[in-house]
Amino acid sequence: MGKISKNGLDASKTDIAFIAQHAELAEQFTGLLELTQIYNSAIKEISTKLEILNDQFKIKHSHNPIRYIESRVKSPRSIIEKCRRKNIELNPADVVENVFDIAGIRVICCYIDDIYSVADMLLSQNDITLIRKKDYIKSPKENGYRSLHLVIRIPIFLADRVEMVPAEIQIRTVAMDFWASLEHQLRYKSKSGYITEGISRELKECAEDSAELDLRMQDIYRRLNSQI
């Protein structure tokens, strides 16, 4: 998901250079820059919902299921590049309808049970519409990646209209996030740019070890709470 976006309305130097080289995109870039404001609003709305649910869960169950939340909004340049790859028209309506990961939120939980509790609480709210759900915890990816992915739509109330804005939410444990972050760094940001079959196998074994640790910590938590 990359770094947290502090302000989706700021065009980076690389964005400006990109537009300078592709003058025909200037109008679309401006429209997409304005669109990111709406996606920033969606992130604020979802983050607030999650924080409220986290506080409510603590009152009922004596612990916070969410350790922390990260978020980002794709830059206009990234949106343009993705639309080109997917043959999507560069206008706000088509972008909103077809690109679901412009607004991204990552929720880091304590335990596996917390992942499903947070997802159920969020999806039970009547202004949240589920578009797609992929459970990579019950069915991990081939490389060992684990996380629960939700794509939702949420209404954003503007001065003159209501926009139904999509957002991607990844919910995972601390152990899952630790493995995913380092695996991505090792696989895609290594100096050689090449990962051998042996190293890929080791990385997957690390994912299995992390999953086993998650299950053991979950079991310890359950046993301790059964004594209360």
Side-chain angles (χ1 to χ4, degrees), residues 19 23 47 68 71 73 84 88 96 125 130 142 165 174 201:
I19 294 304
S47 295
Y68 57 92
S71 63
V73 174
R84 282 178 159 180
I88 298 169
V96 170
Q125 299 194 7
L130 178 64
E142 180 62 30
V165 181
V174 175
R201 185 166 56 250

Side-chain angles (χ1 to χ4, degrees), residues 152-196:
I152 66 169
R153 285 193 191 275
I154 185 169
I156 299 301
F157 294 85
L158 304 173
D160 57 345
R161 68 190 189 281
V162 178
E163 287 281 356
M164 294 299 295
V165 181
E168 181 184 62
I169 305 173
Q170 299 175 358
I171 314 177
R172 59 178 66 158
T173 64
V174 175
M176 293 173 193
D177 189 58
F178 167 79
W179 179 88
S181 298
L182 291 185
E183 193 269 353
H184 181 270
Q185 183 184 63
L186 291 168
R187 185 175 293 277
Y188 299 105
K189 298 186 179 181
S190 63
K191 289 183 179 180
S192 66
Y194 174 73
I195 296 295
T196 65

